[in-house]
Amino acid sequence: MNAPARVRIGYIRRAVGLRGEVEVEPLTDDKGRFQPGLSVRAGAAVRQVEAVRSGANNLVLKFSGVDDRDVAEKLRGKYLEIETTEIQPLPEGSYYHWQLLGLEVFDIAGRRLGEVTDILDNPANDIYVVGQGDTQLLVPAVSEVVRSIDLAAGRIVVDLPEEEEVVP
């Protein structure tokens, strides 16, 4: 799958206070990427982060030019996106979801099981949804099951436990 033009790194939940701040749910493991000076796309507009502070469960951001609650409220429900060229490199063996979508999945015997059609965020580990025709297979993204990922070849090799079922 080709890289998207932009990657979502946050979601604006609501306006906070009267000075134009917004509560943002980070959609990245690297919450430190939200720093003053960061340019993000919020809807159709490009905004620059002026200040960042920790909220109760999320981050609170102040954007340049957003100086009152009414303007901040209009940002509610917008995703914060950066250009794909600005993404942080991941450690070896880690992948962005968009890199895995569309990869073909094979078992260790070489049988094609389908392709990754979706990835479910689960607290313990991600789950790859592998589709082939009308069937779906849920594959836990753990090293005991996912034996190899080869982005260049466009394939994932898995070793499924015997009790795994295909869901019609």
Side-chain angles (χ1 to χ4, degrees), residues 113-166:
L113 302 174
E115 68 179 43
V116 179
T117 59
D118 196 7
I119 299 174
L120 306 175
D121 291 316
N122 198 33
N125 54 267
D126 287 345
I127 298 174
Y128 302 156
V129 179
V130 178
Q132 180 168 302
D134 292 336
T135 61
Q136 286 187 334
L137 179 66
L138 302 179
V139 177
V142 295
S143 60
E144 296 82 16
V145 174
V146 178
R147 294 307 175 107
S148 68
I149 296 176
D150 186 340
L151 295 178
R155 70 186 278 140
I156 297 174
V157 176
V158 298
D159 185 5
L160 296 174
E162 291 298 319
E163 66 273 1
E164 288 297 318
E165 288 184 30
V166 175

Side-chain angles (χ1 to χ4, degrees), residues 16-32:
V16 175
L18 302 174
R19 297 179 310 188
E21 294 177 313
V22 293
E23 180 181 279
V24 172
E25 175 187 345
L27 301 177
T28 172
D29 292 335
D30 181 12
K31 293 179 185 174

Side-chain angles (χ1 to χ4, degrees), residues 21-154:
E21 294 177 313
V22 293
E23 180 181 279
V24 172
E25 175 187 345
L27 301 177
T28 172
D29 292 335
D30 181 12
K31 293 179 185 174
R33 85 161 9 271
F34 293 95
Q35 296 292 323
L38 173 68
S39 289
V40 294
R41 183 171 294 276
V46 175
R47 304 277 182 188
Q48 186 168 29
V49 176
E50 187 175 293
V52 180
R53 64 183 172 88
S54 292
N57 296 315
N58 294 309
L59 297 174
V60 176
L61 303 184
K62 167 75 174 78
F63 294 113
S64 298
V66 178
D67 297 319
D68 64 54
R69 185 176 183 86
D70 292 337
V71 176
E73 190 61 40
K74 292 177 184 173
L75 296 174
R76 177 194 294 255
K78 303 260 190 274
Y79 285 97
L80 300 181
E81 300 176 322
I82 60 170
E83 301 297 319
T84 302
T85 56
E86 298 177 34
I87 62 174
Q88 302 291 325
L90 295 175
E92 187 174 328
S94 296
Y95 305 93
Y96 288 103
H97 286 187
W98 57 264
Q99 291 178 300
L100 301 174
L101 292 172
L103 293 186
E104 292 186 290
V105 179
F106 296 85
D107 67 13
I108 57 173
R111 291 183 303 243
R112 185 180 186 281
L113 302 174
E115 68 179 43
V116 179
T117 59
D118 196 7
I119 299 174
L120 306 175
D121 291 316
N122 198 33
N125 54 267
D126 287 345
I127 298 174
Y128 302 156
V129 179
V130 178
Q132 180 168 302
D134 292 336
T135 61
Q136 286 187 334
L137 179 66
L138 302 179
V139 177
V142 295
S143 60
E144 296 82 16
V145 174
V146 178
R147 294 307 175 107
S148 68
I149 296 176
D150 186 340
L151 295 178

